[in-house]
Amino acid sequence: MSGRNTPAGAPPARRPTAGRVGLTVAGLVAIVIGGALLTVPATFHAGNGIEYAGNSSLLSETRGAGGALLATGVLVMLGGYVRRLTYPAALVGAVVYLAYGLSRLLGMMLDGPPAAGLVAATVVELILGVVCGRLVLRYDRQPVTPLLSDGA
C-alpha cells in the first residue's frame, strides 16, 4: 500500500520544507519589489513620499537596482526548487536582505526615521535575511560533496 491519498505506484507527495517555503517567499518578495523598481519606480516610491520629478539619472539608478533585485529574486526562488541552487540562493538571499536591512538601520541612525513604509521594509528585510542566513548555517553543517570529481 502506498502513502495516504496517493494512487498505487505513485511516489508520495512531497511536503514543502521550511527551506523551500522560506526561499520561495524571499524570492517572490525580491521579484515583486525588483520588478516594480524596474518598471514603475516613480509610482512605487510615491507612496513613501519619494519623487523623481523627471530626474532621468535617478530613474536610471533605480531601474538598475530593480533589475539586479529582480534577478536576485529569481535565483533565490529557484533555490527552493533546484537542490544544487539551494545553498547559493540562501547565501545570496542572506547577503542581499541583510545588507538592505542593516544599511537602512544605519541610515535611520544617521538621517533619522524614514516613512513608515520604509521602516516596515527594514523589518521584512531583516526577517528574510535571518531566514536565509539560517538556511546557510544549516547547509554549512552538512558534509561537502565536490561538484566535480578529481578522478580519484
Side-chain angles (χ1 to χ4, degrees):
M1 178 181 200
S2 62
R4 274 191 325 192
N5 299 326
T6 54
R14 289 179 38 177
R15 291 184 319 147
T17 63
R20 176 177 288 175
V21 171
L23 289 175
T24 300
V25 169
L28 283 174
V29 168
I31 288 169
V32 169
I33 301 299
L37 291 173
L38 180 62
T39 59
V40 289
T43 303
F44 180 78
H45 279 136
N48 289 314
I50 301 170
E51 294 186 26
Y52 287 87
N55 186 333
S56 61
S57 296
L58 184 55
L59 284 166
S60 176
E61 282 296 307
T62 302
R63 289 182 198 277
L69 193 55
L70 175 66
T72 298
V74 170
L75 171 66
V76 171
M77 191 167 82
L78 282 174
Y81 298 93
V82 179
R83 187 164 177 82
R84 288 180 60 140
L85 294 178
T86 299
Y87 180 81
L91 183 61
V92 167
V95 168
V96 168
Y97 277 114
L98 290 174
Y100 265 99
L102 293 173
S103 297
R104 288 186 199 269
L105 285 177
L106 177 63
M108 288 179 205
M109 290 189 307
L110 296 175
D111 308 323
L118 297 175
V119 173
T122 304
V123 172
V124 170
E125 289 159 355
L126 291 171
I127 290 169
L128 292 174
V130 168
V131 167
C132 290
R134 286 182 54 105
L135 288 171
V136 169
L137 294 175
R138 184 170 68 181
Y139 273 86
D140 272 350
R141 292 187 190 126
Q142 300 201 4
V144 175
T145 55
L147 293 176
L148 301 174
S149 173
D150 62 0

